[in-house]
Amino acid sequence: GAMGGSASLIPRELLGEYQELTFLSKQEILLAYKRFSELLPKEERENACSARVSKSQILTLPELRANPFQHRICHVFSTSETRDDSMSFEDFLDMLSVFSDSATSDIKSHYAFRIFDFDDDGTLDRKDLEQLVNCLTGQGEESRLSSAEMEQLIQNILEESDIDKDGTINLSEFQHVVSRSPDF
């Protein structure tokens, strides 16, 4: 409104569509919209549905701030054509939807696979697994694994997961492992 009070809301037909396409409730979508518009510069908030939020702004979100995979998450959910990992409101909703408690484990594991596939080639190879382990153990000197420990760990992961023994983990192998360890 003229007072510049609350941000303009999502058109009703879009809201319905977002509810069908995500695991989020109407309330959660409206809250997401509010959070997304607050990441935008004031003058862009009126058109939050068509604006993009920069990666650096997205990384200020509490959910991502401490996440060791924050850069990969931005990369996987961003539909930016310039590949700058910025997010549209729909990208943002997709991300919140996958991370919500209502998302199926199939959807979650599909995105986890894409996030862990650091070189985006559709399989998790030794290099991906090494980066994955480094992300999880932190980059600090004291927490880093020696190369022998790393080699052993990757060996173990592949023995556990690489069903067709081609030296890489594909999506179905990954989902198989995840389905056996639900707390994953």
Side-chain angles (χ1 to χ4, degrees):
M3 300 297 295
S6 63
S8 55
L9 289 170
I10 307 169
R12 188 173 288 129
E13 61 278 8
L14 262 182
L15 191 55
E17 207 173 299
Y18 292 153
Q19 278 176 266
E20 280 172 34
L21 295 174
T22 66
F23 294 99
L24 304 171
S25 68
K26 184 174 162 182
Q27 250 36 60
E28 289 171 316
I29 293 168
L30 294 172
L31 181 60
Y33 184 83
K34 182 176 181 293
R35 294 184 68 194
F36 184 80
S37 21
E38 283 166 2
L39 294 172
L40 289 166
K42 290 228 175 349
E43 60 278 6
E44 287 183 41
R45 287 182 190 170
E46 282 299 300
N47 304 308
C49 271
S50 54
R52 300 193 74 86
V53 166
S54 70
K55 175 180 180 176
S56 57
Q57 280 295 98
I58 295 286
L59 291 179
T60 64
L61 294 165
E63 292 93 325
L64 288 181
R65 216 176 291 153
N67 191 306
F69 303 102
Q70 47 175 225
H71 297 287
R72 289 294 306 158
I73 291 169
C74 285
H75 179 73
V76 165
F77 287 97
S78 168
T79 55
S80 161
E81 290 177 5
T82 59
R83 301 204 158 277
D84 62 0
D85 293 352
S86 63
M87 284 196 198
S88 66
F89 178 56
E90 296 189 358
D91 296 343
F92 184 65
L93 272 188
D94 276 338
M95 176 180 77
L96 292 180
S97 174
V98 169
F99 288 122
S100 83
D101 294 337
S102 329
T104 63
S105 58
D106 241 22
I107 296 272
K108 284 185 189 290
S109 58
H110 172 81
Y111 277 96
F113 181 83
R114 287 184 56 196
I115 289 164
F116 300 160
D117 178 15
F118 288 87
D119 56 10
D120 296 317
D121 68 351
T123 62
L124 306 186
D125 56 22
R126 289 176 162 270
K127 240 191 166 57
D128 292 322
L129 295 174
E130 199 166 313
Q131 276 184 272
L132 172 55
V133 172
N134 280 335
C135 274
L136 290 172
T137 54
Q139 299 295 336
E141 283 310 305
E142 64 290 342
S143 55
R144 291 205 73 157
L145 298 181
S146 71
S147 47
E149 290 171 319
M150 176 69 86
E151 185 47 47
Q152 186 56 56
L153 183 56
I154 288 178
Q155 221 22 68
N156 294 350
I157 295 172
L158 287 170
E159 268 165 34
E160 188 63 20
S161 326
D162 179 19
I163 297 162
D164 60 13
K165 300 293 173 226
D166 66 349
T168 66
I169 302 170
N170 61 34
L171 177 60
S172 63
E173 288 170 336
F174 181 76
Q175 290 188 313
H176 180 69
V177 175
V178 174
S179 69
R180 287 184 315 181
S181 39
D183 54 338
F184 186 85

